[in-house]
């Protein structure tokens, strides 16, 4: 199989899908074509890739047109739609539940779309989403703490406080992978931390990891509202695999927050988890907006800011499935790794992942390799 790795074109997206070690593995049985300069943002040179067994092409057009499978980090943008064709495999984060235009284009052109974010193991964990979720959770606190400073428009609060001065109150909505990562950093920085979730087992796990360091609350509208009133920094991490994120933080709740407080919406890739960020992603170039005197950070590719770490973490997770698809073909790869089937969002003109079809009100068709 011919595998193509184009340079990412989303704003300030410095990650790349593949590291040299993965090229070595994939090139044993396949051809690997990488766009010139694709890895530079992650500290990987063209020479590094060539030594590992890849060929370098000058343009994205060449990579897309040669490839049987496009191996990416982020969802294709509008300028990349022109390269779609029937039977082309696109293996990347897709987040289709919040992107009707992309979903329709993939269906209309017969692209086979495999979304990292919906590959799900029997225990319901998301192995290809997890590494970026861990990074996004940790980065969310780091970025939020920065925007709490006065020069960045915040309240002028040091997250950990100092002796005689109380620390900032960090409220984390969601106790999953992102929430746990955010809790780890917030606790480590000495903040007062409140974590909310509807999953009591998840709250128990948080309490066991950080004994006597966090306050946990069952997530309901009243508890969220009361927590936000005293919050300096809110990290919203709500995730329903493959679906649009629910808006648990309502506009009226935000109105009651303190002037200069900060909300970081880590669920923005899935459409946003607050009334005010819903459908309004921001970028690393212009990361925030202010509404009701509250700073809203809704960058849709948070891990792209730490590209070197993120690229290696992502490639470590995604390479074995890419290798299986390339070496064996998609159907055989799904037999070898059954969880891969849940990652197939579109297949030869149909939406084949039911939650995406339902959220976008598109026709759903069960995956059938025999068609």
């Amino acid at each position: 199989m011919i595998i193509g790795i184009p340079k990412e074109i989303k704003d300030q997206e410095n990650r790349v899908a593949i590291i040299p070690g993965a090229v070595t593995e994939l090139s044993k049985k396949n051809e690997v074509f990488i766009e010139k300069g694709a890895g530079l943002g992650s500290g990987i040179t063209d020479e590094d890739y060539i030594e590992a067994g890849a060929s370098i092409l000058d343009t994205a057009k060449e990579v897309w047109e040669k490839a049987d499978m496009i191996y990416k980090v982020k969802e294709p943008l509008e300028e990349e739609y022109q390269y779609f064709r029937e039977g082309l495999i696109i293996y990347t984060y897709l987040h289709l539940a919040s992107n009707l235009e992309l979903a329709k284009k993939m269906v209309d052109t017969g692209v086979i779309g495999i979304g990292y974010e919906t590959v799900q193991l029997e225990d319901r964990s998301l192995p290809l989403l997890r590494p970026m979720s861990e990074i996004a959770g940790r980065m969310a606190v780091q970025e939020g703490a920065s925007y709490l400073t006065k020069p960045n428009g915040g309240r002028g609060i040091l997250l950990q406080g100092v002796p005689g001065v109380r620390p900032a109150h960090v409220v984390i909505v969601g106790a999953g992978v992102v929430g746990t990562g955010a809790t780890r950093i917030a606790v480590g920085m000495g903040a007062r931390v409140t974590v909310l979730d509807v999953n009591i087992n998840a709250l128990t796990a948080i309490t066991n990891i950080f004994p006597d360091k966090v306050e946990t609350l069952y997530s309901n509208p009243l508890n969220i509202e009361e927590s936000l009133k005293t919050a300096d920094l809110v990290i919203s991490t709500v995730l329903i695999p493959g679906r649009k994120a629910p808006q648990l933080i309502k506009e009226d709740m935000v109105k009651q927050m303190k002037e200069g407080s900060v909300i970081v919406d880590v669920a923005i890739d899935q459409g946003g988890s607050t009334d005010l960020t819903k459908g309004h992603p921001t970028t690393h170039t212009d990361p925030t907006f202010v509404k009701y005197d509250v700073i809203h950070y809704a960058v849709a590719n948070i891990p792209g800011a730490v590209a070197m770490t993120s690229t290696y973490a992502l490639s470590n997770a995604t390479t074995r499935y890419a290798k299986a698809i390339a070496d064996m073909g998609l159907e055989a790869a799904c037999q070898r790794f059954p969880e891969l089937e849940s990652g197939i969002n579109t297949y030869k003109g149909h939406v084949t992942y039911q939650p995406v079809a339902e959220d976008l009100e598109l026709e759903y068709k069960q995956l059938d390799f025999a068609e």
Side-chain angles (χ1 to χ4, degrees):
M1 182 178 285
I2 299 175
I3 303 162
I5 295 89
K7 186 175 182 179
E8 299 295 324
I9 60 174
K10 197 176 184 76
D11 179 76
Q12 294 294 311
E13 183 50 78
N14 290 299
R15 289 173 290 180
V16 64
I18 197 168
I19 59 177
V23 170
T24 300
E25 287 296 304
L26 287 167
S27 61
K28 289 177 182 177
K29 295 183 178 180
N30 308 281
E31 290 186 88
V32 179
F33 291 99
I34 301 177
E35 184 182 350
K36 183 178 180 180
L40 293 178
S42 295
I44 305 170
T45 67
D46 292 342
E47 290 72 23
D48 293 331
Y49 284 132
I50 292 169
E51 288 179 9
S55 298
I56 303 299
L57 298 178
D58 287 334
T59 66
K61 182 175 186 291
E62 292 174 281
V63 173
W64 280 88
E65 290 182 350
K66 283 182 178 292
D68 302 308
M69 177 170 70
I70 290 291
Y71 188 7
K72 286 181 90 287
V73 177
K74 291 301 292 177
E75 73 281 353
L77 300 184
E78 186 175 355
E79 49 264 56
E80 295 171 307
Y81 295 176
Q82 61 183 309
Y83 305 126
F84 289 6
R85 64 181 187 276
E86 186 173 354
L88 175 66
I89 298 172
I90 300 178
Y91 178 52
T92 190
Y93 286 117
L94 288 172
H95 299 293
L96 290 183
S98 60
N99 197 335
L100 178 61
E101 180 186 8
L102 175 58
K104 283 184 172 180
K105 191 67 177 180
M106 294 179 75
V107 168
D108 291 345
T109 55
V111 161
I112 299 171
I114 306 173
Y116 299 157
E117 72 280 1
T118 63
V119 173
Q120 191 166 33
L121 296 168
E122 285 188 7
D123 64 3
R124 300 186 63 79
S125 64
L126 304 166
L128 305 190
L129 187 60
R130 185 181 187 93
M132 295 304 97
S133 294
E134 290 176 337
I135 291 171
R138 298 175 189 208
M139 285 289 296
V141 178
Q142 181 174 311
E143 293 295 310
S146 173
Y147 283 100
L148 278 174
T149 63
K150 207 65 180 177
N152 286 332
R155 302 192 67 229
I157 291 180
L158 182 64
L159 212 63
Q160 60 268 54
V162 294
V165 181
R166 70 183 61 181
H169 184 199
V170 178
V171 173
I172 299 170
V173 183
V177 175
V178 177
T180 301
T183 302
R184 188 177 305 280
I185 300 303
V187 167
M189 293 181 72
R192 172 195 167 198
V193 182
T194 300
V195 182
L196 299 99
D197 203 298
V198 294
N199 185 334
I200 298 300
N201 289 334
L203 294 178
T204 300
I206 286 282
T207 302
N208 290 338
I209 296 170
F210 310 102
D212 304 320
K213 299 292 186 181
V214 299
E215 171 187 56
T216 60
L217 291 173
Y218 186 82
S219 182
N220 59 38
L222 178 60
N223 282 341
I224 294 174
E225 181 175 11
E226 291 301 311
S227 297
L228 263 58
K229 288 178 182 178
T230 60
D232 299 299
L233 171 60
V234 178
I235 312 293
S236 184
T237 76
V238 181
L239 172 71
I240 302 173
R243 289 194 178 276
K244 290 179 182 176
Q247 284 73 56
L248 300 185
I249 297 177
K250 303 299 183 182
E251 186 170 0
D252 286 343
M253 298 178 184
V254 177
K255 289 179 180 179
Q256 299 177 64
M257 292 179 66
K258 294 179 286 190
E259 181 180 349
S261 54
V262 178
I263 296 175
V264 178
D265 187 358
V266 186
I268 193 66
D269 274 322
Q270 291 295 126
S273 58
T274 86
D275 278 351
L276 297 174
T277 55
K278 178 184 178 182
H280 293 91
T282 60
T283 67
H284 285 295
T285 299
D286 188 15
T288 64
F289 63 88
V290 178
K291 185 73 173 179
Y292 303 121
D293 296 320
V294 174
I295 299 169
H296 299 261
Y297 180 98
V299 173
N301 57 330
I302 293 174
V306 287
M308 191 173 294
T309 298
S310 298
T311 285
Y312 279 81
L314 182 61
S315 183
N316 289 343
T318 59
T319 296
R320 70 168 179 167
Y321 296 113
K323 187 174 186 301
I325 295 166
D327 289 355
M328 307 164 63
L330 183 56
E331 183 175 1
C334 288
Q335 292 173 352
R336 173 68 179 84
F337 298 107
E339 65 271 21
L340 188 56
E341 189 168 315
S342 62
I344 302 174
N345 283 216
T346 64
Y347 186 79
K348 295 184 178 180
H350 304 284
V351 176
T352 51
Y353 188 70
Q354 191 166 0
V356 166
E358 291 174 354
D359 278 359
L360 297 181
E361 298 182 351
L362 295 175
E363 182 181 354
Y364 166 71
K365 181 176 173 58
Q366 187 171 352
L367 181 65
D368 183 2
F369 288 115
E371 71 171 5

